[in-house]
């Protein structure tokens, strides 16, 4: 747990450092282009450069610590069929999670303004929809979940990974869904030892969120668009699809994880 917690706080620290480094860059750019410095406009403009610096700092840290080394498995696409079922599981989970959050709509969304600012910039859209998901999968599945699996049985490691993923969002409206989705992503990593399935689900989730935020800014939940009966049918179909896809994914052979305490010495020797 020690290394996993350290990675969790390193991720927070890198966010702070990226934000601090972005401020003077934005202020200088604002002064050069306009001849003036406006604190409010500068603060709003730091979101995208801060995110890009966060990406750079985190990738550099993970590379220095050896988490990005290709062990022949971490970047494996597994198989087209597995990714197909992963897509079904992820999409159905997104619909079910949206239904849950519509019930928990009393939770505040502290970052709504931040997201709206990033929707107005192609750099922000790229980060939210693609670069951010890749970064978070490398950190939370490729590093944190990997470390948790070295110390705990898979069930505990998956729950702890989900908790950390929910907490890192620092936003009540995202934390519950982040916890549940984080467990699904951690389970996919545990089964495959690859970050690719998690990246697929994460990119789909964030891309749909960005698309919805840009095209339907006044719509918070799906039921506001499709109506009660259709929405209920969507939830039922999603529930069936999720259970079927998870069952199908669980039938694929699990990739070996020699660091997991559930793997016995005899099993290691046999597999070698």
């Amino acid at each position: 747990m020690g290394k996993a917690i350290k990675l969790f706080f390193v991720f927070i620290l890198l966010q702070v450092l990226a934000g601090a480094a972005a401020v003077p860059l934005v202020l200088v750019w604002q002064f050069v282009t306009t001849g003036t410095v406006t604190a409010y406009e500068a603060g709003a403009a730091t979101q995208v450069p801060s995110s890009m610096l966060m990406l750079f700092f985190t990738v550099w840290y993970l590379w220095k610590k050896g988490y990005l080394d290709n062990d022949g498995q971490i970047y494996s696409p597994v198989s087209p069929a597995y990714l197909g079922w992963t897509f079904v599981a992820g999409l159905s989970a997104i619909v079910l999670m949206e239904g849950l959050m519509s019930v928990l709509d009393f939770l505040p969304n502290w970052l709504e303004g931040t997201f709206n600012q990033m929707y107005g910039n192609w750099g922000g859209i790229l980060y939210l929809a693609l670069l951010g998901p890749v970064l978070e999968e490398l950190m939370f599945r490729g590093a944190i979940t990997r470390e948790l699996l070295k110390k705990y049985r898979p069930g505990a490691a998956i729950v702890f990974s989900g908790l950390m993923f929910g907490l890192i969002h620092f936003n009540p409206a995202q934390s519950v869904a982040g916890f549940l989705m984080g467990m699904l992503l951690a389970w996919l990593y545990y089964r495959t030892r690859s970050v690719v399935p998690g990246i697929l689900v994460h990119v789909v989730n964030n891309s749909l969120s960005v698309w919805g935020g840009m095209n339907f800014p006044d719509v918070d939940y799906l039921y506001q668009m499709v109506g009660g009966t259709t929405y209920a049918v969507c939830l039922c179909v999603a529930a069936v699809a999720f259970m079927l896809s998870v069952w199908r994914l669980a039938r694929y052979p699990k990739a070996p994880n020699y660091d997991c305490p559930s793997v016995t010495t005899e099993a290691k020797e046999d597999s070698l």
Side-chain angles (χ1 to χ4, degrees):
M1 177 67 86
K3 285 187 177 180
I5 293 177
K6 176 184 176 182
L7 287 165
F8 178 82
F9 283 107
V10 164
F11 193 71
I12 295 174
L13 177 61
L14 293 176
Q15 285 182 311
V16 174
L17 291 176
V23 170
L25 294 176
V26 171
L27 290 175
V28 170
W29 174 257
Q30 188 183 70
F31 181 76
V32 170
T33 55
T34 67
T36 60
V37 174
T38 305
Y40 175 78
E41 292 181 1
T46 59
Q47 297 300 332
V48 173
S50 175
S51 299
M52 295 304 177
L53 286 172
M54 174 64 181
L55 176 69
F56 172 78
F57 291 161
T58 305
V59 169
W60 176 83
Y61 178 85
L62 292 175
W63 173 70
K64 292 289 289 184
K65 295 299 181 180
Y67 288 106
L68 300 184
D69 294 345
N70 187 4
D71 60 359
Q73 205 164 348
I74 189 171
Y75 304 121
S76 170
V78 191
S79 72
Y82 193 94
L83 291 182
W85 284 110
T86 297
F87 177 81
V88 174
L91 185 61
S92 56
I94 291 167
V95 174
L96 293 174
M97 221 69 70
E98 197 272 348
L100 173 63
M101 296 315 298
S102 69
V103 176
L104 302 177
D105 60 353
F106 56 86
L107 294 174
N109 187 356
W110 295 339
L111 299 181
E112 184 175 8
T114 299
F115 292 140
N116 289 335
Q117 290 172 0
M118 296 186 75
Y119 292 158
N121 184 294
W122 280 108
I125 294 171
L126 178 64
Y127 183 84
L128 289 174
L130 179 60
L131 300 180
V134 173
L135 172 64
E136 291 181 357
E137 288 309 304
L138 291 175
M139 173 60 83
F140 280 88
R141 260 55 70 178
I144 291 177
T145 303
R146 180 193 300 187
E147 292 297 333
L148 289 169
L149 286 169
K150 292 179 181 179
K151 299 295 183 181
Y152 298 97
R153 300 255 176 201
I158 289 169
V159 171
F160 289 147
S161 177
L163 281 172
M164 290 184 181
F165 189 60
L167 290 172
I168 202 64
H169 286 85
F170 301 111
N171 187 15
Q174 292 179 281
S175 293
V176 175
F179 165 59
L180 296 174
M181 186 63 76
M183 289 197 295
L184 173 62
L185 298 173
W187 180 75
L188 289 170
Y189 175 79
Y190 160 67
R191 295 289 307 182
T192 64
R193 294 290 287 175
S194 170
V195 297
V196 174
I199 289 174
L200 172 64
V201 174
H202 210 145
V203 168
V204 170
N205 177 78
N206 283 29
S207 298
L208 287 174
S209 179
V210 169
W211 178 80
M214 293 178 61
N215 292 280
F216 304 97
D218 297 326
V219 176
D220 295 322
Y221 302 105
L222 183 60
Y223 74 84
Q224 296 172 324
M225 297 175 56
V226 300
T229 302
T230 304
Y231 184 65
V233 172
C234 288
L235 291 178
C236 291
V237 171
V240 173
F242 180 74
M243 290 186 289
L244 176 62
S245 57
V246 169
W247 172 79
R248 189 66 187 86
L249 290 170
R251 290 175 61 84
Y252 281 82
K254 183 176 72 68
N257 179 2
Y258 299 127
D259 296 321
C260 180
S262 64
V263 179
T264 64
T265 302
E266 292 78 5
K268 293 181 185 179
E269 292 174 351
D270 291 342
S271 62
L272 294 174

